[in-house]
Amino acid sequence: MSNQSIEIPIDLPDVQVLSAKKTEQGEWLIELESKLRGTKCRQCGQEVTQFQGYGTSLRVRHLPLFEVPVWIEWRPKRYRCGHCEGKPTTTQFVSWHEPRSPNTKPYERWLLKLL
Ligand SMILES: [Zn+2]
């Protein structure tokens, strides 16, 4: 670490940072992955741990750093249920993001405080 930079915790639970870089627009793009294993089947609700690969990568806004916009990108893990007929797959939820939201939860809380 040079004397002109600092290291800042990502402050999202159960994630591993894979990379952090500046985009062409000068914004931060942080790639990470969920460290959690398994999820609950969307049909039967049982815990499923049979890893079925990754879904399409998602990119959402996170809290800005020194007024620079920050984006979080990750590929949701998918799991297959061995109990249900048709063996459906379920995408793993992460505690810091509401499905289909363009923002992380901490960023949404921050936006609300600004109102
Ligand atoms: Zn199931």
Side-chain angles (χ1 to χ4, degrees):
M1 190 160 62
S2 81
N3 59 6
Q4 296 199 329
S5 66
I6 59 172
E7 202 169 292
I8 302 174
I10 185 84
D11 213 17
L12 294 172
D14 307 314
V15 300
Q16 173 143 25
V17 174
L18 302 176
S19 70
K21 61 190 175 206
K22 278 274 178 82
T23 66
E24 283 175 16
Q25 290 78 32
E27 302 176 337
W28 287 112
L29 177 61
I30 299 170
E31 280 182 282
L32 47 77
E33 70 173 11
S34 166
K35 284 198 294 188
L36 295 181
R37 184 166 174 270
T39 191
K40 285 205 166 34
C41 172
R42 60 189 159 85
Q43 274 187 25
C44 68
Q46 292 193 71
E47 194 67 26
V48 286
T49 55
Q50 192 187 331
F51 183 61
Q52 187 61 31
Y54 294 93
T56 314
S57 66
L58 297 171
R59 188 184 287 197
V60 302
R61 278 292 290 272
H62 190 44
L63 297 165
L65 277 175
F66 301 114
E67 299 190 341
V68 176
V70 173
W71 298 89
I72 299 284
E73 191 172 274
W74 80 102
R75 298 179 70 195
K77 293 177 176 176
R78 294 167 72 238
Y79 292 89
R80 184 174 292 282
C81 182
H83 311 288
C84 287
E85 197 172 330
K87 302 190 189 316
T89 57
T90 302
T91 300
Q92 184 191 59
F93 290 103
V94 287
S95 62
W96 41 268
H97 177 251
E98 202 69 50
R100 287 178 289 280
S101 168
N103 307 312
T104 63
K105 287 180 182 176
Y107 183 62
E108 292 194 336
R109 281 197 292 273
W110 184 74
L111 288 177
L112 285 173
K113 266 191 268 177
L114 294 183
L115 292 177

